[in-house]
Amino acid sequence: MAFDFKKEYKEFYMPKSRPEIVTVPEANYIAVRGKGDPNQEGGAYQQAIGVLYAVAYTLKMSYKTDYKIEGFFEYVVPPLEGFWWQNGAEYVDYSDKDSFNWISVIRLPDFITEENFAWAVETASKKKKLDCSSAEFLTIDEGLCVQIMHLGSFDNEPATVALMDEYLEKNGYVNDFSGTRLHHEIYMSDARKVAPEKWKTVIRHPIKKR
């Protein structure tokens, strides 16, 4: 059986639909940064997703090539994730998508080194005839966070975020957003195949003791 991050680390990918506090360990990611409305047809965000998956699947299928990665084991490509912010705003304003800044990411298994990553970017660019040079190897240490499973459209997230804030208030915590600690979403549904009212999205916010 291929290793599946969603099943092995359920506490980070399958939270309940009520807020809970977690300490998220450091992990490595394929990352592409950008700005603008993620819904723009053929826009920067959709191009970034193409790059992420090209590199992710090049690494996943590397064992079928002459390139051997030390410590490799077969795995399921983890879900797409995103870090979102707007300049000068603590919370994400879904009515102003043009002002979004984002870092779109897919988690990497720990055995993938920066050298392996560079090989995958170069290989994917050649094989897919797609410029993957925007992809970067990014290490993120999220630390103490509050998270919840949001069910439904992204535009309805503010109501779920309000539940998270209420939970923090009752339990002696506050949000701890900064330039490196951001609103984080993990997309557990394929938006192309599932109706918006059934989308499952992990929402995670950085926190600290009040």
Side-chain angles (χ1 to χ4, degrees), residues 103-146:
I103 308 171
S104 198
V105 304
I106 293 176
R107 186 172 174 174
L108 290 167
D110 291 343
F111 58 73
I112 301 289
T113 65
E114 290 193 56
E115 185 183 328
N116 304 147
F117 181 82
W119 167 83
V121 169
E122 187 181 339
T123 303
S125 297
K126 283 178 187 167
K127 282 194 173 172
K128 311 275 186 189
K129 295 185 170 50
L130 176 71
D131 181 5
C132 295
S133 61
S134 58
E136 61 181 284
F137 183 96
L138 185 63
T139 302
I140 298 171
D141 187 0
E142 286 191 88
L144 192 65
C145 295
V146 62

Side-chain angles (χ1 to χ4, degrees), residues 3 5 8-13 21-29 81 83 105 107-108 110 138-145 147 181 184 186 204:
F3 183 91
F5 287 85
E8 300 294 334
Y9 300 114
K10 281 183 181 169
E11 66 270 34
F12 302 125
Y13 291 100
I21 289 170
V22 289
T23 300
V24 185
E26 182 178 277
N28 298 323
Y29 297 83
E81 310 184 33
F83 293 89
V105 304
R107 186 172 174 174
L108 290 167
D110 291 343
L138 185 63
T139 302
I140 298 171
D141 187 0
E142 286 191 88
L144 192 65
C145 295
Q147 65 180 17
R181 306 195 78 208
H184 183 184
I186 306 174
R204 188 181 291 159

Side-chain angles (χ1 to χ4, degrees), residues 158-204:
T160 302
V161 168
L163 291 176
M164 296 164 74
D165 288 347
E166 192 180 316
Y167 176 84
L168 295 181
E169 179 67 29
K170 283 181 182 170
N171 290 278
Y173 292 88
V174 292
N175 287 302
D176 188 28
F177 294 110
S178 70
T180 54
R181 306 195 78 208
L182 303 162
H183 173 93
H184 183 184
E185 299 180 355
I186 306 174
Y187 308 108
M188 303 303 295
S189 307
D190 185 337
R192 299 166 302 177
K193 299 175 182 172
V194 179
E197 62 269 19
K198 293 183 178 176
W199 288 350
K200 287 182 176 179
T201 307
V202 180
I203 303 177
R204 188 181 291 159

